[in-house]
Amino acid sequence: MSGPFDGCRFPFRACGDDVTIYELVRVLDPEAIDVGTHVIVDDFVFLAGGLGTTIGSWVHIASFVSISGGGRLVVEDFAGIATGVRIVTGTDLMDGSGLTGPTIPGDLRSVRRGTIHIGRHVVIGANAVVLPDVTIGEGAIVGAGAVVTKSLEPWTINVGQPARPVGDRPSAEVLAREVTVRARDGA
């Protein structure tokens, strides 16, 4: 793809084919970001590379998503991140061990930077929040408005604040369709 929305116009560490990143996306530290193939990032997304960000293939990041905090993020293939989601890979600690905020010199702050791992076929619903040091297992669903404070098991449906499992998601049909998509793409 070439043109104004060619995602590889950013100086990413790696960028696959068929990457669409719309005009009004803000990217910080692109040299710390790897992007797979068949990726769409909608307008009004804030994407910070932090200590390293990997976005797999067949991933959609909807409008008004923010990925921030300065930690690490892995988003595996076929994941979907709905509008308004906040993925926070690092945050100031509010326990009194340091001052808070980016205007404070680093040696006087107490910051927790972590890793978030979003598995294959995960769907994160609108306005959910994902906090540092969690893994969202393959195929898990995070409901709209949920707050993910701990790791979620694969193929579960999770809702609430904090997010908790309320059911299971069948995997057979989803995984069968993945095979079809990969075969059609020659992957």
Side-chain angles (χ1 to χ4, degrees):
M1 174 185 181
S2 62
F5 304 127
D6 177 5
C8 297
R9 72 185 184 276
F10 294 97
F12 293 133
R13 184 171 48 206
C15 187
D17 296 325
D18 188 30
V19 174
T20 301
I21 299 180
Y22 285 93
E23 178 181 9
L24 300 177
V25 172
R26 176 80 167 133
V27 178
L28 296 182
D29 304 317
E31 66 283 351
I33 300 172
D34 296 318
V35 180
T37 62
H38 311 296
V39 172
I40 298 174
V41 181
D42 291 344
D43 275 331
F44 310 112
V45 168
F46 180 81
L47 175 58
L51 296 174
T53 295
T54 300
I55 299 170
S57 297
W58 292 282
V59 171
H60 176 232
I61 301 174
S63 60
F64 300 102
V65 167
S66 67
I67 298 170
S68 63
R72 294 188 188 283
L73 172 66
V74 174
V75 180
E76 290 191 37
D77 297 351
F78 298 98
I81 302 172
T83 191
V85 168
R86 303 292 177 246
I87 298 175
V88 183
T89 62
T91 185
D92 284 292
L93 296 177
M94 310 298 175
D95 62 2
S97 60
L99 298 175
T100 62
T103 62
I104 304 299
D107 63 325
L108 300 176
R109 291 175 71 190
S110 184
V111 178
R112 172 181 163 210
R113 297 207 197 296
T115 298
I116 295 174
H117 190 121
I118 298 170
R120 291 172 46 240
H121 300 290
V122 166
V123 178
I124 302 175
N127 295 315
V129 177
V130 182
L131 297 177
D133 293 322
V134 300
T135 295
I136 302 175
E138 177 181 271
I141 299 290
V142 176
V147 178
V148 180
T149 60
K150 63 181 183 174
S151 294
L152 303 176
E153 292 297 317
W155 301 103
T156 56
I157 300 168
N158 303 272
V159 300
Q161 306 86 25
R164 64 196 176 287
V166 295
D168 294 317
R169 180 180 183 207
S171 62
E173 183 67 23
V174 172
L175 294 174
R177 289 179 186 257
E178 174 185 339
V179 171
T180 302
V181 168
R182 288 185 185 280
R184 286 182 184 173
D185 191 58

